[in-house]
Amino acid sequence: MKKILIFTVLPVTSVLLAVFLYFHFFEGWMYFYLSQLMRNYSFIDYITIAITAALVYLAAVQIMSLELNLKLLIISYLIYFGCLVFLLFAKDSHARGISFDTFSFIEPFLAGNLRVITIGNVIAFIPIGFLMWKLRSYQAFSLAVALIIAVETTQYYLTVGYFDTGDIFLNVCGIMTGYLMIRFANFIVSKKNANKSAS
């Protein structure tokens, strides 16, 4: 029964969810950051939906199996990092600048511009935090800060964005959210295994 669901219902559900996510969240975010690209290549819409559906499907398969499949996990992260690198460095802004107004995102956030802030700067970086599950909290935080500063610096020198302390703050929040989520999940699993061993 599980195999039937994985090969029939799950692919359809993944595509439908991907379409929903695209039109309700991703489309506005992508037109904000990749306006020129989106205007010139209409097929980007379909590619985005296909990639989202693939990631949703790969994650759902592992959740249904109640175990991590190393091959599927590697494929998922290869797709994820490929998309992330593209979105970070394929901007067509040709802008360069520095902004130390760390909390400038609060005003647009309160005004309702949630998609760009939450998806682009926080949620998109959560999966990186999952990879830090073996690190201590201060190590994960230090690595997250160093990684995002490196990304912001690279964007600055490639003239594809600003070196923005607000982005650094939000991106690091995203990574640390992923880190805390995976540490909490590991704690719950360890506690359940300990209870099983005790009984």
Side-chain angles (χ1 to χ4, degrees), residues 113-176:
N113 189 8
L114 307 182
R115 288 175 295 184
V116 171
I117 294 167
T118 55
I119 294 176
N121 288 314
V122 179
I123 295 175
F125 289 85
I126 287 176
I128 296 176
F130 296 156
L131 298 175
M132 300 181 181
W133 64 279
K134 284 190 174 182
L135 300 179
R136 295 182 181 275
S137 56
Y138 73 89
Q139 293 174 322
F141 178 76
S142 299
L143 182 58
V145 170
L147 177 64
I148 299 305
I149 287 177
V151 168
E152 291 290 312
T153 303
T154 304
Q155 286 183 325
Y156 174 82
Y157 281 108
L158 294 177
T159 65
V160 291
Y162 281 67
F163 181 94
D164 190 343
T165 54
D167 284 349
I168 293 172
F169 176 80
L170 291 170
N171 296 165
V172 170
C173 283
I175 293 173
M176 292 309 294

Side-chain angles (χ1 to χ4, degrees), residues 77-123:
Y77 267 99
L78 286 174
I79 295 172
Y80 164 74
F81 279 116
C83 292
L84 193 62
V85 168
F86 176 79
L87 292 171
L88 288 171
F89 302 110
K91 296 176 187 176
D92 48 19
S93 60
H94 300 292
R96 174 189 285 177
I98 298 175
S99 172
F100 292 108
D101 190 0
T102 305
F103 300 104
S104 61
F105 64 86
I106 292 176
E107 187 176 341
F109 182 83
L110 293 175
N113 189 8
L114 307 182
R115 288 175 295 184
V116 171
I117 294 167
T118 55
I119 294 176
N121 288 314
V122 179
I123 295 175

Side-chain angles (χ1 to χ4, degrees), residues 22 25-49 51-52 82-95 116 119-120 124 155 159-161:
Y22 179 77
F25 297 99
F26 300 160
E27 185 180 33
W29 184 84
M30 290 179 70
Y31 271 102
F32 182 84
Y33 278 113
L34 305 169
S35 55
Q36 190 68 37
L37 188 70
M38 295 296 287
R39 285 195 297 267
N40 292 340
Y41 303 101
S42 59
F43 59 84
I44 297 294
D45 296 351
Y46 302 107
I47 291 175
T48 304
I49 291 170
I51 290 173
T52 304
C83 292
L84 193 62
V85 168
F86 176 79
L87 292 171
L88 288 171
F89 302 110
K91 296 176 187 176
D92 48 19
S93 60
H94 300 292
V116 171
I119 294 176
Q155 286 183 325
T159 65
V160 291

Side-chain angles (χ1 to χ4, degrees), residues 13-26 49-50 52-53:
T13 306
S14 299
V15 171
L16 292 175
L17 181 58
V19 171
F20 172 81
L21 289 172
Y22 179 77
F23 286 108
H24 285 81
F25 297 99
F26 300 160
I49 291 170
T52 304

